[in-house]
Amino acid sequence: MADLLTGGGLRARDHHLLEDEARSTGPVHAARRPDGVRVSVVTVGLELTRALLADRRLSKDSGLLQREMMRQLNEAGSAQTDLAGLFGPSMLNSDNPRHARLRRLAVKAFHHQAVHRLAPRVEQITSELVDALPERVEVDIVARLAVPMPLHVIGEVLGVPEDDRVAVRRLIETMLSMDPALSQPASDALGGYFHELLTGGSLGEGSLFKALVEADDDGDRLTHDELIAMAFLLVVAGHETTAGLIANVVHDALDNGLWEEAAANPALVPLLVEETLRHNSPVRHATHRITTERVEIEGVAVPENTILLINLGSAGRCPRAHEDAAEYRVGRGVNGHATFGYGPHFCLGSSLARLETETVLRHLVTRFPRAVRARAEQPPVTHNDIMVSLASLPVVLGR
């Protein structure tokens, strides 16, 4: 079931069929990453998915994950000596109590009040980007809006200089390509950039990166490795997944005949975002976990030291959780998915991602109530072992 992981040559929504079929045939599927590391992909219903995401036997510890991955790479004769910076000791790759300590330092930038204070700037950035979109000609929503909008927002929150953001984005794209010959050098370059940024003394006042560098919790400060790992996590997760969500919700609104309806009734916008999160998640799998003991998943024994990828798309489309789950239907209510995770590692940026996506869609449908897809065929997608994103989304915008 390697296609569950790599999805080579797929177009929009093709992966839904693979994931839903896998869920119907069994809970655990052997797969390999492009670098050869063996993983097990879990495709189960929504309730069990949430239970597994909160299961302490499925560790997020970066040391355990890195040791097992490097063991497999060495066993296969790989010359690779390191893993991408995303596997560093950030809060994403930590168990409690370290996870709670690291999360506590970052949460101030992403709690509800902080996100509310960001809303005017999100509106301004979105308005400027939408103002620049041409009418009545083909335009790529991914390149012109879905990617730059959250990139600029997270860049401002964290303290990444505006002149650096496009170059940082290119390094991230290359790192996530999962081509070992390209991804590791890109990761090393990105790590070098974060080192200079975090230690160079030029971080602006009020930026989260400056706050993290200076954070002192009763004498407990972030180590250099923790700072670099936090930078990887916050920059990548802070814009990559939101860019995918923005593209998906524009695609879904157009493809399901809901664009003009949303233009006439802006209250529909958050419902569209929520249904896209459930039905067409930009996060294909929850980030890597490793079993610390034998775990049984719906009767299948998973040995200790197994690296798990828990599929989130098939959980959102679980027929036990939703009537006609394979259909796109707004108004199902909130919390019918696990796209933002569950348990201790629930996504810290979920409120910001919703705000950004709703803002973009609202601006688009209001300004261009007569938008259509520019091409009949479904757009191609890019894959790595965590995310699935539209590579482009050509549309024609009209009033």
Side-chain angles (χ1 to χ4, degrees):
M1 194 67 70
D3 278 347
L4 269 173
L5 182 58
T6 59
L10 296 180
R11 290 186 173 269
R13 297 201 191 103
D14 286 353
H15 61 289
H16 293 185
L17 300 176
L18 292 168
E19 294 163 358
D20 294 348
E21 180 184 359
R23 186 191 60 243
S24 67
T25 58
V28 183
H29 312 273
R32 286 182 186 269
R33 288 161 40 104
D35 60 8
V37 171
R38 297 184 301 278
V39 298
S40 290
V41 177
V42 178
T43 53
V44 294
L46 180 59
E47 183 178 355
L48 181 53
T49 292
R50 288 173 170 168
L52 290 171
L53 291 174
D55 194 323
R56 294 182 180 181
R57 299 171 299 171
L58 277 54
S59 174
K60 297 285 294 165
D61 183 76
S62 64
L64 294 177
L65 283 164
Q66 290 196 45
R67 279 195 292 276
E68 176 57 21
M69 288 183 172
M70 290 307 303
R71 183 193 69 78
Q72 291 192 34
L73 290 170
N74 292 335
E75 188 180 78
S78 171
Q80 192 170 336
T81 59
D82 201 2
L83 295 171
L86 284 172
F87 289 101
S90 69
M91 58 187 173
L92 181 68
N93 298 320
S94 302
D95 297 325
N96 285 332
R98 186 173 73 179
H99 169 262
R101 164 181 164 258
L102 296 174
R103 191 178 179 98
R104 186 168 60 246
L105 293 169
V107 72
K108 291 181 181 178
F110 296 98
H111 62 62
H112 181 73
Q113 291 91 338
V115 171
H116 180 73
R117 288 194 296 270
L118 279 173
R121 186 63 181 134
V122 171
E123 290 279 348
Q124 183 180 359
I125 292 172
T126 302
S127 181
E128 290 170 356
L129 289 168
V130 171
D131 283 346
L133 296 176
E135 291 185 62
R136 296 184 293 277
V137 296
E138 183 176 307
V139 59
D140 180 8
I141 288 295
V142 171
R144 295 290 297 271
L145 185 58
V147 168
M149 186 271 179
L151 180 62
H152 285 304
V153 171
I154 200 65
E156 290 191 10
V157 170
L158 298 177
V160 178
E162 185 173 357
D163 290 345
D164 294 348
R165 292 171 195 165
V166 172
V168 167
R169 165 68 186 179
R170 290 194 186 111
L171 286 174
I172 290 171
E173 284 182 310
T174 305
M175 180 181 69
L176 295 177
S177 69
M178 297 195 71
D179 180 344
L182 300 175
S183 60
Q184 195 59 49
S187 175
D188 293 342
L190 198 56
Y193 171 78
F194 288 144
H195 170 79
E196 293 296 326
L197 182 65
L198 292 166
T199 62
S202 60
L203 289 169
E205 292 296 329
S207 71
L208 179 56
F209 277 166
K210 186 173 180 64
L212 290 174
V213 168
E214 297 176 347
D216 190 327
D217 187 8
D218 292 330
D220 179 20
R221 299 176 68 94
L222 289 174
T223 67
H224 180 265
D225 286 348
E226 287 173 338
L227 278 171
I228 298 298
M230 190 77 85
F232 269 96
L233 168 63
L234 294 175
V235 172
V236 177
H239 88 278
E240 187 74 25
T241 53
T242 304
L245 177 58
I246 290 170
N248 281 1
V249 77
V250 171
H251 174 272
D252 291 348
L254 290 171
D255 263 26
N256 289 281
L258 295 166
W259 190 269
E260 290 188 25
E261 207 174 317
N265 178 18
L268 191 62
V269 166
L271 301 181
L272 280 163
V273 173
E274 208 61 34
E275 179 66 350
T276 292
L277 283 164
R278 180 199 73 84
H279 184 265
N280 195 15
S281 169
V283 184
R284 196 175 193 191
H285 301 118
T287 51
H288 305 73
R289 285 162 165 77
I290 186 167
T291 55
T292 57
E293 60 183 79
R294 179 183 178 276
V295 176
E296 190 169 292
I297 301 176
E298 289 190 340
V300 175
V302 179
E304 182 180 354
N305 290 328
T306 299
I307 299 172
L308 292 180
L309 292 172
I310 300 173
N311 186 266
L312 302 178
S314 67
R317 295 185 300 276
C318 168
R320 293 195 298 273
H322 300 285
E323 183 180 357
D324 298 324
E327 295 183 9
Y328 189 93
R329 184 191 300 167
V330 297
R332 292 180 184 270
V334 299
N335 205 28
H337 57 80
T339 295
F340 290 124
Y342 191 78
H345 287 88
F346 184 83
C347 177
L348 198 60
S350 60
S351 293
L352 180 57
R354 283 187 170 104
L355 170 68
E356 291 173 310
T357 307
E358 290 174 14
T359 302
V360 168
L361 186 59
R362 177 168 41 80
H363 274 259
L364 280 175
V365 298
T366 301
R367 184 78 61 85
F368 304 110
R370 299 291 187 271
V372 294
R373 292 251 321 276
R375 304 176 192 177
E377 72 272 13
Q378 289 294 337
V381 295
T382 58
H383 287 262
N384 56 54
D385 54 350
I386 301 300
M387 288 173 279
V388 54
S389 305
L390 295 180
S392 63
L393 181 57
V395 302
V396 176
L397 301 168
R399 295 179 189 270

